[in-house]
């Protein structure tokens, strides 16, 4: 458990309140514990006792990757989590060595690299974090409880008004520090304005991304031999992408991705037909030999949207907004959980540095915005290429960045060093500016690889030569 600092300038009060008991909320509750006497987590659902589904997380039925940078951040915040995830069935896959990435320029070479991703169903990932955080007697979960409003005024948030979803009883919970982690369906903007604050500026980029997902059980030998597969080949196409990932219990999760005007269907036969139209046959051929497990599930309304708290004229004391409540990303880039972890780390760092100093909430909020910047840039710059996207026209700078990104992609499919650098950015381990380093810039501008990729093609249907 975290070591409590001495009572004084680096505490924020006696009671911390976290609204939302998901991934971001539970991590936030954990990092609050050194700075308050107790933490209450308000959750509208009743979380299962084990790694089962939670109604408030519909995206949990679909493929999830936690980038290595996010996993390392969680491990730093809550030591022992990586081992607990592995025990729950998570796969740590080196990238790009054990993950086949198809870009619109071809497959990245599957070469050894220190970077990795965590492949697992969302339910075990959440359950491990929730179970470990709730072991701390200072953290109390108030389940089946809906948030109605924030308490306080435009200068300071002092708690929340909640209602028991079973009895209808309303309660006001006072708190010295409030974290809102109420997810993509958050009513935070309404609560914010009810405090007398001006509306938070927001940005929206919506390419109409849609998912369809089904679980499959391959034979054990195929499961062991098949790499993770991530195909995001061309956002301007119809069947734009697909993902096949190993998860717990010897299963695969297979997701097909389309965009506005080419949304994937949820019928069983139609799902397979859509998979066959993907830019490469790997996913369709592999699931054709596996046993389906359960129905096809769809997911829509996957826009990028962020609240620009860094542009508000004033930020109330005692309130920080984290996770999807602050910034929702197109999940096809698999950055949501990592960005949530980055935001919690920013909360921890702010409390550690500033404690209860005036303005700490605003400082933390701006830090969380900076932590999401690279993921936002990667997601929207790609989505803005789609011909029916809802959002601003790409700026000259964005078009130049995309043109350079295309040169990097073309080089990465044959140059292992560039492929590794590209994966570092995709995995949020390094900023996009790292792609301007000489080791990437020179071969990208020259348009040729330094040396052939060992192991041959990255095609997952072709055995690696090494």
């Amino acid at each position: 458990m975290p070591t409590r600092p001495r009572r004084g300038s680096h505490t924020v009060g006696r009671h911390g309140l976290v609204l939302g008991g998901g991934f971001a909320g539970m991590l936030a509750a954990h990092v609050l514990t050194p700075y308050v006497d107790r933490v209450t987590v308000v959750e509208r659902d009743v979380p299962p006792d084990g790694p089962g589904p939670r109604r408030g997380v519909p995206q949990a039925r679909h493929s999830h990757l936690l980038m290595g940078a996010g996993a390392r951040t969680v491990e730093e915040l809550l030591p022992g989590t990586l081992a607990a995830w592995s025990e729950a069935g998570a796969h740590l896959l080196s990238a790009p060595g054990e993950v086949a990435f198809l870009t619109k320029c071809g497959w990245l070479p599957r070469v050894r690299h220190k970077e990795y991703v965590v492949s697992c169903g969302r339910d075990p990932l959440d359950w491990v974090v929730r179970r470990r955080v709730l072991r701390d007697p200072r953290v109390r979960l108030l389940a089946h409880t809906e948030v109605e409003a924030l308490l306080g005024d435009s200068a300071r948030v002092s708690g929340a008004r909640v209602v028991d979803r079973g009895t209808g009883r309303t309660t006001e919970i006072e708190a010295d520090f409030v974290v809102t982690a109420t997810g993509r369906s958050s009513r935070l903007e309404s609560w914010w304005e009810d405090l007398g604050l001006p509306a938070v500026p927001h940005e929206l980029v919506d390419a109409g991304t849609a998912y369809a997902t089904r679980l499959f059980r391959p034979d054990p030998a195929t499961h062991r031999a098949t790499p993770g597969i991530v195909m995001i080949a061309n956002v301007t196409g119809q069947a734009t992408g697909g993902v096949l990932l190993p998860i717990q219990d010897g299963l695969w999760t297979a997701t097909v991705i389309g965009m506005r005007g080419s949304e994937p269907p949820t019928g069983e036969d139609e799902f397979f037909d859509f998979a066959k139209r993907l830019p490469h046959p790997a996913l369709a051929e592999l699931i054709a030999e596996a046993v389906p497990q359960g129905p096809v599930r769809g997911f829509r309304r996957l826009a990028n949207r962020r609240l620009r708290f860094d542009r508000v004229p004033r930020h109330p004391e005692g309130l920080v907004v984290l996770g999807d409540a602050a910034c929702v990303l197109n999940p096809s880039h698999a950055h949501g959980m990592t960005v949530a972890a980055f935001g919690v780390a920013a909360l921890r760092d702010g409390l550690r540095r500033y404690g209860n100093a005036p303005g700490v909430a605003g400082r933390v909020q701006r830090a969380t915005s900076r932590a999401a910047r690279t993921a936002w840039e990667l997601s929207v710059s790609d989505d803005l290429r789609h011909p029916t996207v809802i959002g601003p026209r790409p700026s000259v700078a964005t078009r130049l960045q995309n043109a350079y990104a295309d040169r990097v992609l073309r080089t990465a499919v044959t140059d292992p060093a560039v492929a590794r650098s590209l994966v570092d950015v995709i995995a949020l381990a390094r900023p996009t500016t790292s792609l301007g380093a000489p080791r990437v810039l020179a071969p990208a501008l020259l348009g040729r690889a330094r040396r052939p990729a060992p192991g041959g093609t990255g095609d997952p249907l072709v055995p690696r030569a090494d």
Side-chain angles (χ1 to χ4, degrees):
M1 296 301 172
T3 301
R4 178 184 297 280
R6 291 180 301 170
R7 173 67 62 184
S9 62
H10 280 80
T11 61
V12 295
R14 298 199 173 277
H15 186 210
L17 179 61
V18 177
L19 308 179
F23 182 77
M26 282 297 170
L27 288 174
H30 177 70
V31 303
L32 274 178
T33 55
Y35 304 95
V36 294
D37 293 329
R38 60 191 176 92
V39 178
T40 301
V41 180
V42 175
E43 169 54 46
R44 72 186 307 273
D45 296 325
V46 179
D49 292 333
R54 189 163 66 89
R55 291 185 60 188
V57 191
Q59 66 269 30
R61 308 280 69 77
H62 301 275
S63 299
H64 275 75
L65 280 177
L66 175 61
M67 298 300 171
R72 291 188 291 273
T73 300
V74 174
E75 180 68 15
E76 181 186 347
L77 295 169
L78 191 60
T81 301
L82 266 178
W85 278 335
S86 295
E87 291 173 4
H91 299 258
L92 271 64
L93 307 176
S94 68
E98 296 175 305
V99 182
F101 287 97
L102 179 64
T103 75
K104 64 182 179 181
C105 299
W107 294 99
L108 296 185
R110 284 197 286 131
V111 291
R112 291 183 177 86
H113 189 32
K114 63 181 180 181
E115 201 49 62
Y116 66 92
V117 297
V118 178
S119 180
C120 187
R122 177 64 182 267
D123 296 331
L125 294 176
D126 282 351
W127 171 68
V128 164
V129 170
R130 182 171 65 247
R131 179 187 60 178
R132 302 188 75 240
V133 171
L134 291 178
R135 286 176 180 167
D136 189 332
R138 292 171 291 177
V139 180
R140 179 176 74 106
L141 176 64
L142 189 60
H144 208 220
T145 302
E146 188 96 43
V147 182
E148 287 193 333
L150 296 174
L151 302 179
D153 53 32
S154 60
R156 173 175 287 277
V157 171
S158 58
R161 186 171 70 248
V162 303
V163 59
D164 185 298
R165 299 184 70 197
T167 66
R169 180 184 176 187
T170 299
T171 306
E172 291 191 349
I173 303 176
E174 300 286 341
D176 301 289
F177 200 88
V178 179
V179 174
T180 297
T182 42
R184 63 178 58 236
S185 59
S186 176
R187 294 162 50 203
L188 183 278
E189 288 177 274
S190 173
W191 303 334
W192 178 276
E193 293 180 31
D194 288 345
L195 295 171
L197 291 160
V200 183
H202 72 273
E203 295 176 341
L204 175 72
V205 176
D206 181 8
T209 305
Y211 274 12
T213 299
R214 196 174 197 188
L215 297 179
F216 292 86
R217 183 174 297 282
D219 69 78
T222 303
H223 188 270
R224 289 191 298 269
T226 302
I229 299 173
V230 178
M231 296 189 290
I232 308 295
N234 190 348
V235 298
T236 64
Q238 292 188 354
T240 61
V243 175
L244 184 74
L245 298 171
I247 60 171
Q248 66 281 0
D249 301 325
L251 297 174
W252 281 339
T253 175
T255 294
V256 292
I257 306 167
M259 304 181 96
R260 184 171 290 109
S262 60
E263 295 86 350
T266 55
E268 295 183 5
D269 293 338
E270 293 84 357
F271 176 89
F272 186 67
D273 289 341
F274 192 95
K276 291 193 291 186
R277 300 202 305 272
L278 292 173
H280 189 275
L283 190 148
E285 291 187 13
L286 287 165
I287 65 174
E289 300 299 322
V291 180
Q293 307 286 302
V296 180
R297 300 178 184 273
F299 195 35
R300 302 289 188 267
R301 301 184 300 277
L302 306 180
N304 304 281
R305 187 175 186 272
R306 65 172 171 172
L307 298 177
R308 297 303 305 266
F309 289 105
D310 53 332
R311 295 180 179 176
V312 299
R314 64 185 185 278
H315 191 98
E317 300 284 359
L319 175 69
V320 168
V321 185
L322 295 178
D324 284 354
C327 180
V328 178
L329 299 165
N330 180 342
S332 64
H333 300 277
H335 288 158
M337 296 180 73
T338 296
V339 168
F342 288 173
V344 177
L347 170 65
R348 178 209 53 194
D349 294 344
L351 294 175
R352 182 181 290 169
R353 181 174 182 181
Y354 301 111
N356 62 359
V360 61
R363 289 188 180 102
V364 170
Q365 197 68 66
R366 289 188 290 275
T368 65
S369 296
R370 291 192 295 272
R373 186 178 298 159
T374 294
W376 176 266
E377 291 172 353
L378 289 171
S379 189
V380 303
S381 63
D382 209 32
D383 286 2
L384 284 172
R385 297 174 185 243
H386 196 271
T388 64
V389 67
I390 297 170
R393 293 184 56 132
S395 65
V396 172
T398 298
R399 292 197 295 271
L400 289 173
Q401 289 167 1
N402 283 342
Y404 178 66
D406 288 346
R407 295 187 74 93
V408 172
L409 282 177
R410 284 194 293 272
T411 308
V413 298
T414 55
D415 188 318
V418 175
R420 291 186 181 99
S421 295
L422 178 61
V423 167
D424 286 344
V425 172
I426 293 172
L428 301 181
R430 292 183 179 273
T432 52
T433 53
S434 67
L435 295 179
R439 66 181 181 277
V440 179
L441 181 66
L445 293 182
L446 291 172
R448 63 175 184 269
R450 296 178 194 158
R451 64 185 187 277
T457 177
D459 187 331
L461 298 180
V462 177
R464 288 173 59 180
D466 60 344

